[in-house]
Amino acid sequence: MTSPSRPATAARTAGDSTRPPAGLPRAGLAVLITAVFLPQVDFFIVNVALPTIQSSLGASAGALELVVAGYGTAYAATLVLGGRLGDMIGRRRMLLTGMSGFVLTSLVCGAAPGIVVLLAARILQGAAAGLVVPQVIGTLHATLSGERRHRALGLYSSAAGAAIVVGQVVGGLLVTANVAGTGWRPIFLVNVPIGAVALIAAGRLVPESRSPHPLGLDLVGTLLFAGTLVALLVPLAEGPTIGWPLWSWVALALVPVLAAATVVVERRAEAAGRVPLLPPSLLQLRSMRRGFALHLPFMLSYGAFMFVFALTVQTGLHSGVLGGGLAVLPLAVAYFVASLAAPRAIARFDARRVVAVSAVAVALGLLVLVLVTVTTWPRTDYWAFAPGLVLAGAGQALVFACLFRLILLDVPEHLVGVGGGVVTTVQQSGLALGVATLGTLFVGLLEKTGVGTAFVVSLAVQAAIMLAIAAGSLTLPHLRARPGETGVAVDAWPPADRRSGVLHNGLIRRRG
């Protein structure tokens, strides 16, 4: 059982809302959804503008990958830190700080004179996004209750699916419009007026809240984790395009060293009664171990697909920027619809089975794209990709929803906030890794074999990953709703496995 120590109390209340709920007006909810929507859109909006950015700034293919992956890496590294800062000093205060940073860095991105400035601004923009997003979910829990909270959380979840549509399509419209000859720059500059209005409104409409017992910061763990990602992503993205200089090999050699240091620091922090960025005791839970073994490659494949597909449609099929945005519309719509149906699917069929079937559906959708490409390239009409995209998008939404629930299955209720932060960090890291790994594979093949062949090989690798996920889903626990519930109750691991861990200082420790 938990110790009566302060760390235990802090862990129990981590992510807890202040009681009683302070209340959130509808206009305040709209501001919060806008605040979380903009950072999510910005991960996808840049994909359709990459060829234009390359020609405008003379950027290398590796630099283009870093424009995407650098944002995702900084986003992932600051999510948990941002959440804990909000718990400590006030969520509205951190929301305003993060939004101010996001607006300012968006302005710098849009005005960047060269690729180096754009890369630096994108990293800072991702860090600002990581400060914004945790405040939204924390404020929803702190200021709403009952049905209003459920509806608000539903809007929060739907924003992710809508971000794909808006990011790709609006990005294509803005670049195609070429407002005053600015080309790709409006995809960043559009954040400035919208973000500024949201920032002013947030100061007036969003109530302040904080945790009565906030968790401490894990600055060392955060820096080591971020350093590990950077040491891995930068050489993978840049190395192939510049001939693998010495620094790239040195950076890769540092990856296991930094990773090992992260593990040591996190274990020591947990042993001292603190809750680190990536709590080892949580990661040792069977649901987390096996869930992450599938979730990380899934996010890697998803991030790579969005990057590769946008480049293929624009550079290979010469569809134009708007065409590149519209081409992904079937996937985005299918993803959004399937995400709404996910709770019912879990309740009826068991999440483990849904993961298996849905992962196979994604693989089949990708193979349909391969078949279309092989049989029609280079005269392919991008609308011919629609059937495969619909199949893949629906499957992706269901896999994502099920794995998120399964990963958190064994996490004690008072640590769900901590566990959710770990899951989101892994998600964003996976998106960045996908661009840096499979994106690099695509770019390397593109120069040697052409766009069509590179696209086919990339899709084949992604399909193989999804089939491996389908096979691996057999090791996951069962998850099904009990009668009258909404799809989140469980037939979990056997009781003996549940009892194999005890709580100490608010964290999970294994007996023996």
Side-chain angles (χ1 to χ4, degrees), residues 77-114:
T78 54
L79 271 168
V80 173
L81 181 65
R84 295 188 185 179
L85 284 171
D87 289 346
M88 292 173 65
I89 67 176
R91 298 182 181 110
R92 183 178 64 182
R93 182 180 298 179
M94 281 308 303
L95 176 68
L96 297 178
T97 301
M99 289 178 67
S100 298
F102 188 81
V103 169
L104 180 60
T105 52
S106 295
L107 179 61
V108 176
C109 284

Tab-separated table of all heavy atoms in Angstrom, residues 77-114:
chain	number	residue	atom	x	y	z
A	77	ALA	N	9.829	16.088	-25.658
A	77	ALA	CA	10.709	16.280	-24.505
A	77	ALA	C	10.123	17.221	-23.461
A	77	ALA	O	10.477	17.129	-22.277
A	77	ALA	CB	12.058	16.813	-24.970
A	78	THR	N	9.230	18.118	-23.863
A	78	THR	CA	8.730	19.128	-22.915
A	78	THR	C	7.311	18.866	-22.425
A	78	THR	O	6.824	19.598	-21.566
A	78	THR	CB	8.769	20.533	-23.555
A	78	THR	OG1	8.047	20.507	-24.802
A	78	THR	CG2	10.195	20.981	-23.807
A	79	LEU	N	6.647	17.832	-22.919
A	79	LEU	CA	5.261	17.579	-22.536
A	79	LEU	C	5.104	17.370	-21.029
A	79	LEU	O	4.302	18.034	-20.376
A	79	LEU	CB	4.725	16.356	-23.286
A	79	LEU	CG	4.089	16.612	-24.649
A	79	LEU	CD1	3.880	15.306	-25.382
A	79	LEU	CD2	2.761	17.335	-24.471
A	80	VAL	N	5.855	16.405	-20.488
A	80	VAL	CA	5.719	16.090	-19.065
A	80	VAL	C	6.204	17.257	-18.219
A	80	VAL	O	5.587	17.619	-17.213
A	80	VAL	CB	6.488	14.797	-18.724
A	80	VAL	CG1	6.490	14.554	-17.215
A	80	VAL	CG2	5.852	13.612	-19.448
A	81	LEU	N	7.318	17.874	-18.631
A	81	LEU	CA	7.838	19.039	-17.923
A	81	LEU	C	6.798	20.151	-17.874
A	81	LEU	O	6.570	20.782	-16.838
A	81	LEU	CB	9.114	19.525	-18.606
A	81	LEU	CG	9.814	20.739	-17.991
A	81	LEU	CD1	10.341	20.401	-16.611
A	81	LEU	CD2	10.926	21.223	-18.898
A	82	GLY	N	6.136	20.403	-19.010
A	82	GLY	CA	5.110	21.434	-19.064
A	82	GLY	C	3.946	21.136	-18.144
A	82	GLY	O	3.423	22.031	-17.465
A	83	GLY	N	3.531	19.865	-18.100
A	83	GLY	CA	2.432	19.491	-17.224
A	83	GLY	C	2.756	19.730	-15.762
A	83	GLY	O	1.927	20.226	-14.990
A	84	ARG	N	3.964	19.404	-15.364
A	84	ARG	CA	4.342	19.565	-13.959
A	84	ARG	C	4.540	21.030	-13.594
A	84	ARG	O	4.231	21.444	-12.477
A	84	ARG	CB	5.601	18.737	-13.668
A	84	ARG	CG	5.329	17.255	-13.819
A	84	ARG	CD	6.474	16.389	-13.361
A	84	ARG	NE	6.188	14.995	-13.642
A	84	ARG	CZ	7.010	13.996	-13.365
A	84	ARG	NH1	8.180	14.244	-12.785
A	84	ARG	NH2	6.678	12.751	-13.659
A	85	LEU	N	5.039	21.819	-14.539
A	85	LEU	CA	5.146	23.260	-14.279
A	85	LEU	C	3.770	23.872	-14.094
A	85	LEU	O	3.570	24.732	-13.231
A	85	LEU	CB	5.882	23.940	-15.438
A	85	LEU	CG	7.400	23.759	-15.480
A	85	LEU	CD1	7.961	24.292	-16.800
A	85	LEU	CD2	8.069	24.466	-14.307
A	86	GLY	N	2.805	23.432	-14.895
A	86	GLY	CA	1.443	23.928	-14.742
A	86	GLY	C	0.849	23.552	-13.398
A	86	GLY	O	0.161	24.356	-12.759
A	87	ASP	N	1.097	22.319	-12.957
A	87	ASP	CA	0.619	21.896	-11.641
A	87	ASP	C	1.224	22.745	-10.523
A	87	ASP	O	0.588	23.011	-9.511
A	87	ASP	CB	0.985	20.423	-11.399
A	87	ASP	CG	0.159	19.477	-12.255
A	87	ASP	OD1	-0.856	19.918	-12.823
A	87	ASP	OD2	0.539	18.290	-12.353
A	88	MET	N	2.483	23.181	-10.719
A	88	MET	CA	3.198	23.906	-9.668
A	88	MET	C	2.833	25.388	-9.622
A	88	MET	O	2.508	25.922	-8.557
A	88	MET	CB	4.714	23.754	-9.875
A	88	MET	CG	5.245	22.360	-9.646
A	88	MET	SD	6.991	22.211	-10.101
A	88	MET	CE	7.741	23.313	-8.891
A	89	ILE	N	2.904	26.055	-10.764
A	89	ILE	CA	2.779	27.513	-10.754
A	89	ILE	C	1.464	28.014	-11.343
A	89	ILE	O	1.231	29.218	-11.388
A	89	ILE	CB	3.952	28.172	-11.493
A	89	ILE	CG1	3.899	27.852	-12.998
A	89	ILE	CG2	5.286	27.745	-10.915
A	89	ILE	CD1	4.976	28.567	-13.794
A	90	GLY	N	0.625	27.101	-11.793
A	90	GLY	CA	-0.667	27.497	-12.340
A	90	GLY	C	-0.784	27.155	-13.814
A	90	GLY	O	0.084	27.507	-14.609
A	91	ARG	N	-1.873	26.479	-14.152
A	91	ARG	CA	-2.031	26.008	-15.536
A	91	ARG	C	-2.327	27.150	-16.501
A	91	ARG	O	-1.854	27.142	-17.634
A	91	ARG	CB	-3.130	24.944	-15.581
A	91	ARG	CG	-2.786	23.712	-14.742
A	91	ARG	CD	-3.854	22.633	-14.821
A	91	ARG	NE	-3.475	21.508	-13.974
A	91	ARG	CZ	-4.086	21.187	-12.833
A	91	ARG	NH1	-5.112	21.914	-12.408
A	91	ARG	NH2	-3.670	20.149	-12.119
A	92	ARG	N	-3.136	28.120	-16.064
A	92	ARG	CA	-3.395	29.247	-16.964
A	92	ARG	C	-2.113	30.034	-17.215
A	92	ARG	O	-1.848	30.457	-18.351
A	92	ARG	CB	-4.461	30.170	-16.379
A	92	ARG	CG	-4.815	31.328	-17.316
A	92	ARG	CD	-5.895	32.207	-16.766
A	92	ARG	NE	-5.480	32.891	-15.540
A	92	ARG	CZ	-6.275	33.703	-14.846
A	92	ARG	NH1	-7.508	33.915	-15.239
A	92	ARG	NH2	-5.825	34.278	-13.744
A	93	ARG	N	-1.311	30.220	-16.178
A	93	ARG	CA	-0.060	30.951	-16.349
A	93	ARG	C	0.853	30.242	-17.344
A	93	ARG	O	1.435	30.872	-18.229
A	93	ARG	CB	0.644	31.093	-14.998
A	93	ARG	CG	1.947	31.878	-15.073
A	93	ARG	CD	2.597	31.998	-13.707
A	93	ARG	NE	1.727	32.731	-12.773
A	93	ARG	CZ	2.048	32.959	-11.513
A	93	ARG	NH1	3.186	32.508	-11.014
A	93	ARG	NH2	1.221	33.640	-10.735
A	94	MET	N	0.956	28.916	-17.224
A	94	MET	CA	1.804	28.175	-18.164
A	94	MET	C	1.187	28.133	-19.555
A	94	MET	O	1.891	28.142	-20.560
A	94	MET	CB	2.039	26.756	-17.658
A	94	MET	CG	3.097	26.637	-16.570
A	94	MET	SD	4.663	27.426	-17.030
A	94	MET	CE	5.042	26.567	-18.543
A	95	LEU	N	-0.148	28.102	-19.615
A	95	LEU	CA	-0.822	28.136	-20.915
A	95	LEU	C	-0.493	29.432	-21.643
A	95	LEU	O	-0.152	29.419	-22.843
A	95	LEU	CB	-2.334	28.008	-20.718
A	95	LEU	CG	-3.202	28.117	-21.981
A	95	LEU	CD1	-2.963	26.918	-22.891
A	95	LEU	CD2	-4.676	28.225	-21.611
A	96	LEU	N	-0.576	30.549	-20.932
A	96	LEU	CA	-0.268	31.844	-21.543
A	96	LEU	C	1.207	31.922	-21.935
A	96	LEU	O	1.550	32.473	-22.993
A	96	LEU	CB	-0.622	32.973	-20.577
A	96	LEU	CG	-2.100	33.099	-20.192
A	96	LEU	CD1	-2.298	34.236	-19.201
A	96	LEU	CD2	-2.965	33.307	-21.425
A	97	THR	N	2.080	31.371	-21.103
A	97	THR	CA	3.510	31.366	-21.438
A	97	THR	C	3.778	30.542	-22.684
A	97	THR	O	4.489	30.977	-23.599
A	97	THR	CB	4.327	30.803	-20.253
A	97	THR	OG1	4.096	31.602	-19.091
A	97	THR	CG2	5.812	30.783	-20.576
A	98	GLY	N	3.221	29.324	-22.723
A	98	GLY	CA	3.433	28.457	-23.878
A	98	GLY	C	2.844	29.026	-25.151
A	98	GLY	O	3.461	28.977	-26.223
A	99	MET	N	1.637	29.620	-25.065
A	99	MET	CA	1.004	30.197	-26.247
A	99	MET	C	1.784	31.403	-26.751
A	99	MET	O	1.908	31.605	-27.966
A	99	MET	CB	-0.440	30.573	-25.940
A	99	MET	CG	-1.368	29.385	-25.769
A	99	MET	SD	-3.059	29.870	-25.362
A	99	MET	CE	-3.547	30.688	-26.875
A	100	SER	N	2.300	32.205	-25.820
A	100	SER	CA	3.116	33.348	-26.236
A	100	SER	C	4.344	32.867	-27.001
A	100	SER	O	4.705	33.424	-28.048
A	100	SER	CB	3.543	34.160	-25.008
A	100	SER	OG	2.426	34.677	-24.329
A	101	GLY	N	4.987	31.820	-26.472
A	101	GLY	CA	6.152	31.262	-27.154
A	101	GLY	C	5.801	30.675	-28.501
A	101	GLY	O	6.547	30.821	-29.480
A	102	PHE	N	4.641	30.031	-28.585
A	102	PHE	CA	4.218	29.415	-29.847
A	102	PHE	C	3.950	30.481	-30.909
A	102	PHE	O	4.350	30.332	-32.071
A	102	PHE	CB	2.966	28.570	-29.622
A	102	PHE	CG	2.561	27.747	-30.797
A	102	PHE	CD1	3.185	26.538	-31.065
A	102	PHE	CD2	1.555	28.181	-31.653
A	102	PHE	CE1	2.811	25.771	-32.170
A	102	PHE	CE2	1.177	27.427	-32.744
A	102	PHE	CZ	1.811	26.215	-33.008
A	103	VAL	N	3.282	31.570	-30.527
A	103	VAL	CA	3.002	32.661	-31.469
A	103	VAL	C	4.308	33.306	-31.937
A	103	VAL	O	4.502	33.562	-33.140
A	103	VAL	CB	2.074	33.707	-30.822
A	103	VAL	CG1	1.996	34.963	-31.684
A	103	VAL	CG2	0.682	33.130	-30.606
A	104	LEU	N	5.210	33.572	-30.999
A	104	LEU	CA	6.469	34.223	-31.348
A	104	LEU	C	7.314	33.347	-32.271
A	104	LEU	O	7.851	33.829	-33.282
A	104	LEU	CB	7.255	34.552	-30.079
A	104	LEU	CG	8.615	35.234	-30.275
A	104	LEU	CD1	8.440	36.568	-30.990
A	104	LEU	CD2	9.309	35.445	-28.930
A	105	THR	N	7.436	32.065	-31.954
A	105	THR	CA	8.248	31.174	-32.791
A	105	THR	C	7.588	30.928	-34.145
A	105	THR	O	8.285	30.713	-35.137
A	105	THR	CB	8.498	29.835	-32.077
A	105	THR	OG1	7.238	29.277	-31.636
A	105	THR	CG2	9.400	30.024	-30.870
A	106	SER	N	6.269	30.958	-34.200
A	106	SER	CA	5.582	30.852	-35.497
A	106	SER	C	5.939	32.039	-36.383
A	106	SER	O	6.148	31.896	-37.599
A	106	SER	CB	4.063	30.789	-35.300
A	106	SER	OG	3.688	29.618	-34.625
A	107	LEU	N	6.015	33.223	-35.772
A	107	LEU	CA	6.405	34.420	-36.517
A	107	LEU	C	7.828	34.280	-37.041
A	107	LEU	O	8.104	34.616	-38.210
A	107	LEU	CB	6.283	35.644	-35.614
A	107	LEU	CG	6.686	36.995	-36.222
A	107	LEU	CD1	5.806	37.336	-37.418
A	107	LEU	CD2	6.593	38.089	-35.167
A	108	VAL	N	8.726	33.766	-36.213
A	108	VAL	CA	10.113	33.588	-36.644
A	108	VAL	C	10.196	32.546	-37.761
A	108	VAL	O	10.931	32.722	-38.740
A	108	VAL	CB	11.006	33.172	-35.457
A	108	VAL	CG1	12.433	32.895	-35.921
A	108	VAL	CG2	11.004	34.264	-34.392
A	109	CYS	N	9.431	31.458	-37.636
A	109	CYS	CA	9.406	30.443	-38.701
A	109	CYS	C	8.969	31.065	-40.021
A	109	CYS	O	9.572	30.840	-41.071
A	109	CYS	CB	8.452	29.306	-38.327
A	109	CYS	SG	9.056	28.144	-37.088
A	110	GLY	N	7.895	31.856	-39.970
A	110	GLY	CA	7.374	32.458	-41.193
A	110	GLY	C	8.289	33.481	-41.812
A	110	GLY	O	8.234	33.721	-43.025
A	111	ALA	N	9.153	34.091	-40.994
A	111	ALA	CA	10.066	35.126	-41.507
A	111	ALA	C	11.483	34.609	-41.692
A	111	ALA	O	12.378	35.386	-42.041
A	111	ALA	CB	10.085	36.313	-40.536
A	112	ALA	N	11.712	33.313	-41.477
A	112	ALA	CA	13.065	32.755	-41.504
A	112	ALA	C	13.762	33.028	-42.838
A	112	ALA	O	13.236	32.689	-43.902
A	112	ALA	CB	13.016	31.251	-41.250
A	113	PRO	N	14.960	33.620	-42.793
A	113	PRO	CA	15.685	33.908	-44.038
A	113	PRO	C	16.426	32.707	-44.599
A	113	PRO	O	16.823	32.718	-45.757
A	113	PRO	CB	16.682	34.992	-43.601
A	113	PRO	CG	16.935	34.694	-42.153
A	113	PRO	CD	15.651	34.165	-41.611
A	114	GLY	N	16.627	31.681	-43.787
A	114	GLY	CA	17.364	30.505	-44.234
A	114	GLY	C	16.951	29.281	-43.455
A	114	GLY	O	16.207	29.359	-42.467
